[in-house]
Amino acid sequence: EITGHPAGITQLQRVGIGLVLSAVSMAVAGIVEVKRRNYALAHSPLAPGGISLFWLSFQYAIFGIADMFTLVGLLEFFYREAPAGMKSLSTSFTWLSLSFGYFLSSTLLRTH
């Protein structure tokens, strides 16, 4: 036990790591998009080569790890720290906010 905590790190540290990794994922997405845009402006649409689709895997991998840290940390935090009457409600709010975020994301992508 390097940290002295039975689970390794606390629930809020997990959430914090997840949020930092989410920001890193967005930064990676921005860098890849700038590279893609610069290539597209410099070359004709029919030019061979370009940026591979697999460059997107970095941002998705980082975001998947971030999502895992955040959700696991939140659910564990609510399960251990919330009063007995609030455990189900706080857990449902976690899933509700996640589903609302995914719905909003898909709605924004569909309209543009």
Side-chain angles (χ1 to χ4, degrees):
E1 294 182 20
I2 296 172
T3 62
H5 194 270
I9 58 175
T10 67
Q11 300 93 357
L12 294 180
Q13 287 172 332
R14 287 179 199 207
V15 173
I17 289 170
L19 293 176
V20 167
L21 285 176
S22 294
V24 169
S25 171
M26 294 301 115
V28 168
I31 291 168
V32 170
E33 181 61 21
V34 166
K35 296 279 187 190
R36 186 205 63 80
R37 183 178 179 274
N38 289 342
Y39 183 86
L41 290 175
H43 298 85
S44 73
L46 301 176
I51 295 180
S52 172
L53 179 67
F54 292 107
W55 280 99
L56 295 175
S57 63
F58 294 114
Q59 74 191 45
Y60 285 121
I62 295 169
F63 190 72
I65 294 168
D67 210 16
M68 179 186 65
F69 269 103
T70 305
L71 282 176
V72 169
L74 279 174
L75 291 175
E76 189 175 344
F77 176 75
F78 290 141
Y79 182 74
R80 292 186 182 199
E81 302 294 330
M86 293 291 292
K87 288 183 183 187
S88 297
L89 186 64
S90 58
T91 302
S92 67
F93 280 143
T94 301
W95 292 114
L96 182 67
S97 66
L98 180 70
S99 63
F100 181 72
Y102 287 150
F103 175 75
L104 185 62
S105 174
S106 64
T107 302
L108 290 174
L109 289 175
R110 190 176 308 137
T111 58
H112 293 291

